[in-house]
Amino acid sequence: MRKLILVLFTGLLLTSCGKDKKNEVEATQEPVAVSDKYSVIIDGIYEKDDSISVVYQKDNFFLYDKPIWQAVKGSAMAQRITFDIPEGQKVENLSICVSKNKDQSYITIKNVTVKNGANLVLDGDNNKYNEYFATDPSFSWDLKNARFNLNHSNKYPPSIVGNDKLLGLLTK
């Protein structure tokens, strides 16, 4: 009888101690906050060295005083340029300055993709990005060579800006 009581008491003691530890672990774990971590990925051909930038819209205003710049090494091969928006910033729209080099007379943009962390917001592959971005007057389409001709003589460098369709994707 003593052995039975001792076994029951030991089992009760071990079981209750385990529950306390489990409750302590659960109490110390805080929920993980999901934050915005946007990135813009451009696949394009830049035959000359250049620099390009992304500006994002937040609270209905483009943050032109905080562009995110990337240098591009000239190459006849397609290259991937990735822009990381500062973490925690809610992006409403995008403006991309595609060239600052006045000697860059044309570019080929094959893809503009937008991600939020691992989530794909816009898959702009195979020129699908054209549905989501508007070009400014600095662009003309070269149908024969399937690329954009650039005009650097305007007030601002050649840029593409997200239209209402992109705004809808980013603000939903």
Side-chain angles (χ1 to χ4, degrees):
M1 182 75 166
R2 269 189 187 168
K3 286 184 180 180
L4 181 62
I5 292 173
L6 186 60
V7 170
L8 288 174
F9 180 72
T10 306
L12 181 64
L13 183 62
L14 290 174
T15 308
S16 66
C17 289
K19 286 183 182 178
D20 289 342
K21 281 187 176 181
K22 184 178 177 185
N23 289 340
E24 283 178 27
V25 171
E26 287 176 5
T28 59
Q29 290 178 347
E30 296 181 23
V32 177
V34 177
S35 63
D36 293 315
K37 181 136 180 60
Y38 286 89
S39 57
V40 179
I41 302 145
I42 300 170
D43 294 325
I45 299 172
Y46 284 77
E47 298 228 349
K48 298 181 180 176
D49 291 354
D50 212 331
S51 60
I52 60 179
S53 68
V54 169
V55 175
Y56 61 96
Q57 180 180 325
K58 180 180 175 186
D59 299 328
N60 295 321
F61 294 99
F62 278 100
L63 303 178
Y64 288 111
D65 58 336
K66 297 180 182 180
I68 303 164
W69 290 95
Q70 288 285 343
V72 179
K73 189 76 176 156
S75 172
M77 303 298 293
Q79 48 192 311
R80 177 163 283 178
I81 305 116
T82 301
F83 296 87
D84 292 321
I85 307 295
E87 191 169 352
Q89 299 298 312
K90 180 67 178 154
V91 175
E92 298 169 355
N93 203 348
L94 296 165
S95 175
I96 303 169
C97 171
V98 298
S99 175
K100 291 285 278 181
N101 182 354
K102 293 186 181 203
D103 293 330
Q104 192 89 255
S105 53
Y106 53 85
I107 60 168
T108 303
I109 300 174
K110 297 188 174 287
N111 177 18
V112 178
T113 295
V114 179
K115 291 183 173 182
N116 185 0
N119 297 327
L120 186 64
V121 177
L122 169 63
D123 176 11
D125 202 13
N126 295 321
N127 295 320
K128 289 186 280 187
Y129 72 90
N130 283 321
E131 297 175 38
Y132 298 89
F133 287 92
T135 59
D136 68 16
S138 300
F139 288 86
S140 62
W141 182 248
D142 180 350
L143 185 61
K144 180 181 175 189
N145 295 306
R147 63 185 181 196
F148 289 110
N149 290 326
L150 302 177
N151 176 0
H152 287 275
S153 64
N154 293 325
K155 183 177 179 181
Y156 299 106
S159 299
I160 59 175
V161 179
N163 60 22
D164 288 340
K165 206 168 181 181
L166 181 62
L167 188 68
L169 280 179
L170 292 169
T171 58
K172 69 176 179 177

